[in-house]
Amino acid sequence: MAEGSKELGLIHIYCGDGKGKTTASMGLALRAAGREKKVLIARFLKSQDSGEVKALSYVPNITVLPCEKFFGFTFSMSEETKKEAQVYYTALLENAWKKAKKEKYHMLILDEMMAACTSGLVSRDKVEELIKQKPEYLEVVLTGRAPWPEILQLADYVSEIQMVKHPFTRGVKARNGIEY
């Protein structure tokens, strides 16, 4: 249902310190694709080496924009690297938004958008501005920790995923096919 449809696109936020924010958004992408809806996914602060990227490439109606540059963890970035990452991630956001509108996607997932904003690599104001101007039909999903109050006000769904227990606290490293 593209522009002119009677379906209303809403804003989702999956946030919190628990594992599963990206997983929840990818499940929603699969559900939408299964109903013939076009889904566009932009990933921030992540490398291409993630199981969902490969798996989703086989699913009709889902497009994952390549994240061609990985700058490392934000806490270990130099100021020069942060500036380069700001330019890159801001362009990725703008390109994803333009593509979603131009090609009439039904859903746009901005994975790890909260972290990109919290770390100063994408402007919160820019994200809010885009969301306020979104086409009525476009469903927008944002994931990541620490959403700020203004973005929460704009959201229709907010789901907080809380960590109760995680093997990382025992020193178990991220596992291929489970955490990435």
Side-chain angles (χ1 to χ4, degrees):
M1 281 26 77
E3 200 167 4
S5 161
K6 292 184 175 148
E7 286 196 36
L8 177 64
L10 300 176
I11 308 296
H12 305 243
I13 293 177
Y14 295 105
C15 59
D17 65 356
K19 178 187 177 320
K21 298 174 289 292
T22 296
T23 305
S25 69
M26 297 305 122
L28 190 56
L30 287 170
R31 177 178 287 158
R35 294 295 186 181
E36 305 300 319
K37 295 181 182 287
K38 287 175 52 177
V39 180
L40 181 63
I41 301 170
R43 303 169 68 241
F44 298 80
L45 308 177
K46 293 182 173 179
S47 72
Q48 284 297 100
D49 182 29
S50 189
E52 66 267 16
V53 173
K54 183 175 182 180
L56 291 173
S57 71
Y58 298 112
V59 180
N61 298 322
I62 295 181
T63 301
V64 181
L65 293 176
C67 190
E68 296 167 339
K69 290 187 179 183
F70 179 62
F71 299 91
F73 294 106
T74 55
F75 61 82
S76 63
M77 287 182 193
S78 68
E79 285 306 309
E80 185 178 316
T81 302
K82 280 185 182 179
K83 287 179 183 172
E84 185 183 345
Q86 284 174 330
V87 170
Y88 180 81
Y89 290 128
T90 299
L92 177 61
L93 171 62
E94 290 173 351
N95 291 337
W97 203 267
K98 286 176 190 169
K99 183 176 179 71
K101 286 177 63 176
K102 182 180 178 186
E103 298 179 26
K104 305 280 192 284
Y105 278 84
H106 302 96
M107 181 180 290
L108 173 62
I109 297 176
L110 303 171
D111 187 32
E112 289 299 344
M113 180 49 64
M114 301 308 163
C117 290
T118 300
S119 60
L121 300 179
V122 174
S123 162
R124 290 177 179 184
D125 291 341
K126 181 69 173 176
V127 173
E128 292 171 30
E129 173 192 326
L130 290 171
I131 287 176
K132 287 176 183 175
Q133 298 173 8
K134 80 168 191 64
E136 191 172 82
Y137 61 86
L138 184 63
E139 201 87 10
V140 179
V141 181
L142 302 99
T143 72
R145 295 172 183 233
W148 58 100
E150 293 82 3
I151 200 72
L152 290 173
Q153 288 296 322
L154 293 172
D156 298 293
Y157 298 89
V158 177
S159 296
E160 184 173 6
I161 299 173
Q162 179 184 1
M163 180 182 68
V164 175
K165 189 175 183 180
H166 195 294
F168 180 78
T169 60
R170 296 191 329 257
V172 176
K173 298 213 185 283
R175 297 168 299 144
N176 188 354
I178 305 298
E179 279 83 25
Y180 65 95

